[in-house]
């Protein structure tokens, strides 16, 4: 059990996986400790395959007054998932750096009416290679990511964001 978070005090970093595959359950637990609202988002499972990070989520903790997905919760999830994509990508390469969202937008296409999945991928296939180049050249960089939320096979939300990897302290 972790201590309650305090404003202005950074949460300790999770040790890098050191050549091992990331333990996504341990990462999710660390994330819940580091960002208290995460435990209320209904994230049931986290998986990675290739350049895709997928979350399975429960609708119930994210309901609005109409009984469908609350746009604010869905927006927070897409933004957080992009941050996680970049953080996990860096950790896979043995890099422990700060990541921030620079821009984010969402387009709501249909109501979210059941448990759902959220898939995050680079906006362009060469995005990860370009980020690696910028990090090597300048010590910082950005990547554009997209998130798509599906209820079954129906696309309900599309989001995009630009995430910055900050230079070392």
């Amino acid at each position: 059990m972790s201590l309650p978070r305090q404003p202005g005090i950074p949460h300790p970093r999770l040790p890098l996986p050191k050549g091992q595959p990331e333990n996504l359950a341990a990462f999710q637990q660390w994330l819940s400790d580091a960002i208290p609202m995460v435990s209320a988002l209904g994230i049931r499972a986290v998986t990675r395959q290739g350049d895709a990070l997928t979350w399975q989520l429960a609708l119930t903790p994210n309901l609005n007054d109409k009984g469908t997905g609350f746009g604010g919760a869905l927006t927070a999830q897409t933004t957080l998932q992009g941050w996680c994509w970049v953080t996990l990508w860096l950790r896979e390469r043995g890099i422990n750096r700060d990541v921030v969202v620079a821009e984010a937008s969402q387009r709501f296409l249909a109501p979210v009416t059941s448990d759902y999945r959220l898939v995050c991928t680079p906006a362009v296939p060469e995005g990860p290679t370009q980020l690696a180049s910028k990090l090597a050249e300048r010590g910082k960089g950005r990547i554009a990511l997209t998130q798509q939320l599906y209820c079954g096979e129906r696309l309900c939300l599309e989001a995009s964001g630009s995430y910055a990897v900050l230079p070392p302290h």
Side-chain angles (χ1 to χ4, degrees):
M1 179 148 153
S2 65
L3 298 173
R5 294 296 318 279
Q6 298 296 317
I9 299 173
H11 191 69
R13 291 183 185 265
L14 184 64
L16 290 170
K18 294 188 174 124
Q20 301 296 317
E22 186 77 52
N23 178 333
L24 292 176
F27 180 80
Q28 187 177 348
Q29 180 57 56
W30 172 84
L31 189 64
S32 292
D33 293 342
I35 304 172
M37 73 176 258
V38 168
S39 60
L41 293 178
I43 302 169
R44 292 183 168 169
V46 176
T47 57
R48 289 180 72 203
Q49 185 172 12
D51 277 342
L53 175 63
T54 302
W55 290 358
Q56 301 293 330
L57 296 112
L59 175 59
T60 304
N62 300 294
L63 287 171
N64 63 17
D65 59 316
K66 295 160 211 57
T68 60
F70 173 56
L74 305 176
T75 297
Q77 291 166 357
T78 61
T79 302
L80 178 64
Q81 189 186 41
W83 181 91
C84 288
W85 189 100
V86 179
T87 299
L88 289 166
W89 183 88
L90 289 167
R91 290 174 55 74
E92 186 176 84
R93 286 151 184 79
I95 303 169
N96 223 345
R97 296 283 273 292
D98 287 330
V99 176
V100 296
V101 60
E103 295 178 50
S105 65
Q106 301 76 34
R107 210 172 66 138
F108 297 88
L109 305 170
V112 176
T113 57
S114 63
D115 292 351
Y116 52 98
R117 77 182 180 284
L118 191 56
V119 181
C120 180
T121 56
V124 295
E126 59 276 6
T129 303
Q130 292 171 345
L131 176 58
S133 294
K134 289 292 182 195
L135 289 173
E137 292 168 18
R138 301 175 49 205
K140 63 182 181 174
R142 276 193 186 197
I143 187 168
L145 301 172
T146 60
Q147 298 87 20
Q148 294 181 307
L149 185 154
Y150 295 91
C151 286
E153 296 306 311
R154 181 173 23 140
L155 180 61
C156 298
L157 179 152
E158 289 181 316
S160 61
S162 175
Y163 296 83
V165 178
L166 302 179
H169 291 50

